[in-house]
Amino acid sequence: MNRSRHTVSLGLAGAALLALTQAPAAHAAETAPAPVACPAPLAGKAACYTGRDDNGAHYAIAIPHRWNHKLVVHSHGGPDLGDESDPERSVGDLERWQVMVDQGYAWAGSSYRRGGYGTRMAATDTENLRRLFTEEFGSPRRTYLHGQSWGGDVAAKTIEMYGGAHGPYDGALLTNGVLGGGSRGYDYRVDLRVVYQYYCQNLPRPSEPQYPLWQGLRPTSTLTTTGMRARLRECTGYDLPSGERTALQQRNLDDILAVTKVPERTLESHLRFSVFTFRDIVHKRLGDRNPFTNVGVRYSGSHDDKALNAGVERFTADPTAERDLSYDSDLTGKVRIPVLTLHAIDDPTAFVEHEAAYRDTLAGAHRDRHLVQTFTDEHEHSGLSTSEYANSITALDRWVRGGDKPTPRSVAASCAAFDRTYGTGCFYEPEYRPSSYASRVEPRPGGRTWPAMTAAQEKAWSRVDGVGIAP
């Protein structure tokens, strides 16, 4: 059914949304877009829908009443670790990214068909939603991708899989993206996992069943995130005022932060990823094979580097696991459409050096002419200034429409007009250029050149039966 007139009664109290969010997880049959009440700030401005695609991925769609006939397809971050598609995720993302709708764009976001790691799976679900939108509401004049955090990697992978010169996407906006890919982009969390255990010896405790740390957590462990936080507090007092920490806790905390370069305010979230998300990657996605290595890494910055390097756990990756993670999430740089990135210089989660990795990836593929990178003097990962998001999507659209490639300075200069509407500030640093990824994360042998996966490798691996991560 084509819904090109997309009318909806905004008097709906959200019953359709409630029915979808309470639907049994086993029901994966496709559901057509059902009208629902929009988030309160969009009430009276847009028509909103939710549904489920034929792979079981929940989605949300919003079309402004004054639609500019352009579409933003959103790839969310994470990954979330639930077994099923989360119907509330895409609805929450719509509320979070309503600025796109305010700017006149239709918006569509997928919750993906399941939780857990799987970049190609998420890219396919993103593309499936674009097709569904076109079937239901007609073809937009232009279609843009937007990826945030891990969703930046998903959107970048979507570009490479579906975004050819004459493909369905006209451009992409990647914000605070995890653009180093999977085989290298989590090395600092590998380092955190082993350095933490060297000092704390409580993940696992000596009295508990032992397992190699590359597993993140043994598959049958009942440890919760609350339990993990308690162990982190026990060892480092990370969430206590400095005056309430013991001398040993303070030294442990100082050493862990100095060696890993992880910010104190996100220590817990990085450790959580290196425990629970690593468990998902290793046990659920790679059949208990190890994709990580820390061979050749010399840890420094502690009060006793010699003892640390002698005592820290070391391991070597299984080549097939490393290949499968790389095939799933590394980027080749095969970009044929305009890509604009926006990244906080002090992003405490996806370090700004991920942008250097992406810059070098496209340069290594001789495609960096398609890339413009912008940076801001901000200090958060999950949300930047609304004025900047509105400015960025407009700058990308102007680039696509006119063919005139912007510069970081021109993007910064255009932000003030949007800040008059949103009043959240413009914090661009047009002259900033991040240092290499290796300046932030100790490279493994052979890990200084980009792309991490070449187009030739991707082509060869695609012919191997069962390569990658299953959807």
Side-chain angles (χ1 to χ4, degrees):
M1 176 175 58
N2 187 292
R3 302 171 186 261
S4 57
R5 298 188 64 182
H6 57 270
T7 58
V8 65
S9 169
L10 290 172
L12 290 172
L17 174 60
L18 183 62
L20 282 168
T21 57
Q22 293 182 342
H27 293 176
E30 180 175 359
T31 59
V36 297
C38 291
L42 291 178
K45 300 178 182 179
C48 296
Y49 306 85
T50 59
R52 199 171 193 185
D53 73 12
D54 55 6
N55 287 319
H58 289 279
Y59 61 82
I61 291 171
I63 304 176
H65 296 324
R66 296 184 178 181
W67 185 24
N68 61 15
H69 294 282
K70 300 168 190 176
L71 169 66
V72 172
V73 184
H74 177 74
S75 299
H76 76 69
D80 303 331
L81 295 182
D83 291 333
E84 300 292 334
S85 180
D86 179 3
E88 297 181 359
R89 179 62 195 246
S90 55
V91 176
D93 287 342
L94 169 58
E95 185 166 8
R96 180 179 175 189
W97 302 109
Q98 64 193 36
V99 61
M100 303 298 179
V101 184
D102 285 338
Q103 289 299 306
Y105 295 84
W107 185 95
S110 173
S111 294
Y112 312 145
R113 70 190 71 181
R114 62 159 172 78
Y117 206 83
T119 306
R120 285 179 178 266
M121 172 205 71
T124 297
D125 290 343
T126 298
E127 166 61 7
N128 285 346
L129 180 55
R130 183 203 64 79
R131 295 177 183 178
L132 185 150
F133 181 95
T134 298
E135 291 169 1
E136 293 287 337
F137 302 103
S139 297
R141 186 179 301 128
R142 293 183 186 87
T143 301
Y144 298 115
L145 281 161
H146 172 220
Q148 163 73 17
S149 188
W150 177 60
D153 189 38
V154 173
K157 180 64 73 176
T158 306
I159 296 169
E160 296 185 358
M161 292 173 65
Y162 303 104
H166 302 290
Y169 297 100
D170 297 285
L173 172 63
L174 311 179
T175 57
N176 279 2
V178 180
L179 300 174
S183 71
R184 300 178 188 174
Y186 303 125
D187 281 346
Y188 64 97
R189 286 167 170 158
V190 172
D191 296 337
L192 173 60
R193 189 71 181 89
V194 299
V195 170
Y196 174 86
Q197 183 64 5
Y198 171 79
Y199 288 111
C200 297
Q201 293 294 307
N202 64 10
L203 271 176
R205 300 185 191 279
S207 60
E208 294 174 330
Q210 303 297 293
Y211 53 87
L213 297 180
W214 51 262
Q215 291 186 358
L217 196 65
R218 60 187 175 88
T220 58
S221 173
T222 58
L223 183 72
T224 63
T225 56
T226 300
M228 189 214 74
R229 284 194 293 270
R231 296 187 188 208
L232 176 59
R233 182 183 305 114
E234 167 192 298
C235 176
T236 68
Y238 79 104
D239 58 349
L240 299 175
S242 58
E244 296 181 16
R245 296 174 189 143
T246 68
L248 180 58
Q249 285 176 328
Q250 188 64 60
R251 193 175 77 171
N252 288 341
L253 181 63
D254 290 344
D255 279 345
I256 291 169
L257 298 179
V259 172
T260 64
K261 303 177 184 176
V262 168
E264 183 174 347
R265 69 186 190 276
T266 51
L267 174 60
E268 184 270 331
S269 63
H270 285 297
L271 184 63
R272 186 172 68 243
F273 192 105
S274 75
V275 172
F276 298 102
T277 305
F278 277 15
R279 176 170 66 174
D280 176 83
I281 291 172
V282 169
H283 296 301
K284 290 189 175 183
R285 313 304 162 199
L286 295 175
D288 300 320
R289 293 171 296 144
N290 173 25
F292 304 121
T293 183
N294 65 340
V295 171
V297 176
R298 185 182 184 280
Y299 298 106
S300 62
S302 72
H303 75 279
D304 189 342
D305 290 347
K306 183 177 180 180
L308 171 62
N309 282 281
V312 74
E313 184 174 320
R314 305 277 182 176
F315 38 79
T316 303
D318 178 321
T320 64
E322 191 173 30
R323 174 205 65 194
D324 288 354
L325 183 58
S326 179
Y327 180 77
D328 181 75
S329 58
D330 282 345
L331 302 169
T332 67
K334 293 189 304 182
V335 172
R336 300 177 179 87
I337 60 175
V339 178
L340 177 65
T341 72
L342 174 68
H343 212 119
I345 295 171
D346 191 30
D347 183 339
T349 298
F351 302 148
V352 72
E353 288 81 8
H354 275 274
E355 295 288 341
Y358 194 55
R359 176 191 69 208
D360 292 344
T361 293
L362 268 64
H366 308 290
R367 302 291 178 87
D368 50 322
R369 65 186 180 277
H370 298 296
L371 177 66
V372 173
Q373 294 177 298
T374 63
F375 302 94
T376 66
D377 183 20
E378 290 174 277
H379 312 279
E380 298 301 327
H381 171 68
S382 295
L384 302 177
S385 166
T386 301
S387 302
E388 293 166 356
Y389 288 126
N391 181 49
S392 294
I393 193 63
T394 304
L396 177 63
D397 182 53
R398 188 181 300 120
W399 181 8
V400 169
R401 286 188 293 109
D404 295 327
K405 183 177 180 180
T407 66
R409 186 170 293 280
S410 70
V411 174
S414 63
C415 184
F418 295 94
D419 200 42
R420 285 193 287 272
T421 298
Y422 295 103
T424 55
C426 298
F427 305 99
Y428 290 95
E429 295 287 346
E431 306 306 320
Y432 180 80
R433 182 180 174 91
S435 299
S436 69
Y437 190 73
S439 70
R440 183 67 178 256
V441 182
E442 185 67 29
R444 278 55 178 163
R448 292 184 180 271
T449 59
W450 300 85
M453 174 181 64
T454 66
Q457 284 175 313
E458 181 183 47
K459 185 176 181 179
W461 290 343
S462 69
R463 296 169 178 158
V464 178
D465 186 40
V467 74
I469 290 176

